[in-house]
Structure formats: C-alpha cells, structure tokens
Amino acid sequence: MTSYVLDGGRIGTLDDFWTLMGEAVNGPGGYFGRNPDSFADCLRGGFGTPDDGGFVIEWRDHELSRRALGHPETARHLEGVLARCHSTNRARVAEELARARSGRGRTLFDTLTEIIEAQAPGALRLR
C-alpha cells in the first residue's frame, strides 16, 4: 500500500496544504489540487495515486494543522472567495465568513478531512 505523508508542522496556510499535498503525492512542484473541488477530483484517481485506491494519507502533527487551518485561516480564505464568487453565492459565502470570523462553523481543516474521507474512505490517518 502506498503511503503519502503530510508534515502538519509545515502547514500554516491553505496554500501550504496544497503545496505539501502535491509534493507528497507527485514530488517537488507536484500538483494534487489547488481548491476543494480539484482536490476531490485528484483523490478519485488518475493524478498520482494508485488507480485501485490502495493508498493512505498519513497526516502527522495534524493538531498543528487543525489550529493553522482553523477559523482565522478559514475567514481569510472566505474573504478571497467572497471577492470573486458569483453574485448568486455571495449571501451564502458572507454567512460562512461571518461564522468563521466569530469562531463558529466548519474550518478548512474540517473541509479537507471530510473531502478525504468522502473520496478515499479509510485512507486518512491522523497522527
């Protein structure tokens, strides 16, 4: 079984996560998604992971990542989303942003781990 290791101590922002995940799977400069939708697509196969789904993602020091990808980073990310989203999505994104700013709601860490579990059930190992 193939194992991909994420060093949670090196994840301070969402961009760090995309970079480290890409490198874990596809080596230096590697790509494995740069947004939640493309990440989910990559996890389904064809972008570096084995086609048979025989892999695990070992997220070491995940508690450091959980803090780094918490509500403040989620709010920062949502501010960018709000600035460029379609007008029909602005109210929903603004509500999510207000929750994140007040320390409530799902965080980026929650979203990423949920995507992994949905697309590669049982592959995530939080250490």
Side-chain angles (χ1 to χ4, degrees):
M1 176 155 316
T2 304
S3 181
Y4 304 108
V5 177
L6 287 177
D7 178 356
R10 293 182 56 207
I11 297 173
T13 66
L14 182 58
D15 287 335
D16 293 340
F17 173 83
W18 299 133
T19 298
L20 291 171
M21 189 71 216
E23 290 176 354
V25 175
N26 291 310
Y31 172 85
F32 203 73
R34 294 293 295 173
N35 64 61
D37 291 333
S38 63
F39 181 51
D41 288 344
C42 289
L43 284 166
R44 284 193 285 272
F47 292 91
T49 58
D51 291 333
D52 65 3
F55 67 92
V56 297
I57 298 170
E58 183 180 330
W59 196 331
R60 295 180 182 165
D61 294 323
H62 74 280
E63 286 297 336
L64 296 173
S65 299
R66 183 186 305 273
R67 285 189 292 279
L69 299 175
H71 291 108
E73 179 66 2
T74 302
R76 188 193 68 77
H77 169 70
L78 289 169
E79 287 166 355
V81 172
L82 185 62
R84 66 182 180 279
C85 73
H86 191 273
S87 60
T88 59
N89 292 326
R90 290 189 62 77
R92 178 188 54 80
V93 174
E95 288 174 16
E96 289 179 32
L97 175 56
R99 280 193 299 274
R101 284 179 172 161
S102 68
R104 297 179 296 115
R106 293 173 56 229
T107 65
L108 290 168
F109 183 85
D110 298 331
T111 299
L112 294 169
T113 56
E114 288 168 9
I115 291 169
I116 295 168
E117 283 300 324
Q119 301 305 320
L124 183 60
R125 306 286 191 272
L126 297 176
R127 307 274 188 240

